[in-house]
Amino acid sequence: MLDAFTFQNIDANINQVREAMSEHCSEIAYGTKNSMVKHLCWQGKVEEAWELQKEGRGMVWSENLASHFVQGYARLGRMD
């Protein structure tokens, strides 16, 4: 769902998604968390994405994860 919303540039309520997932599983998997970070970055919500990626055990940095933040900062015109 998140990838489809991101692709179509539809804003998803990440907090609502997280709450719904928390009701059904103990921990959000890496792939889902990555999709959440991607969605937030592509919506220009980079600060919120930073907070999400740091939560829990954090996320292992990869080229894929870094590219989401590059996209987010580019969207905001902040490529400094």
Side-chain angles (χ1 to χ4, degrees):
M1 178 197 103
L2 287 171
D3 288 339
F5 276 36
T6 302
F7 176 75
Q8 296 176 63
N9 199 28
I10 299 171
D11 192 19
N13 185 329
I14 296 298
N15 290 327
Q16 192 175 43
V17 173
R18 292 176 67 188
E19 288 173 16
M21 291 189 70
S22 293
E23 292 176 10
H24 300 287
C25 60
S26 60
E27 187 176 339
I28 296 171
Y30 180 87
T32 303
K33 195 170 183 181
N34 188 53
S35 291
M36 290 176 172
V37 168
K38 176 182 179 180
H39 184 78
L40 290 169
C41 286
W42 285 41
Q43 290 292 314
K45 300 174 183 177
V46 179
E47 298 305 320
E48 194 176 335
W50 277 113
E51 293 303 315
L52 177 60
Q53 78 82 27
K54 289 190 284 187
E55 284 181 7
R57 292 179 281 165
M59 297 176 73
V60 176
W61 277 97
S62 65
E63 185 177 331
N64 186 33
L65 182 59
S67 73
H68 301 325
F69 284 97
V70 169
Q71 174 72 27
Y73 283 115
R75 182 178 184 93
L76 296 172
R78 293 179 47 200
M79 288 304 293
D80 54 338

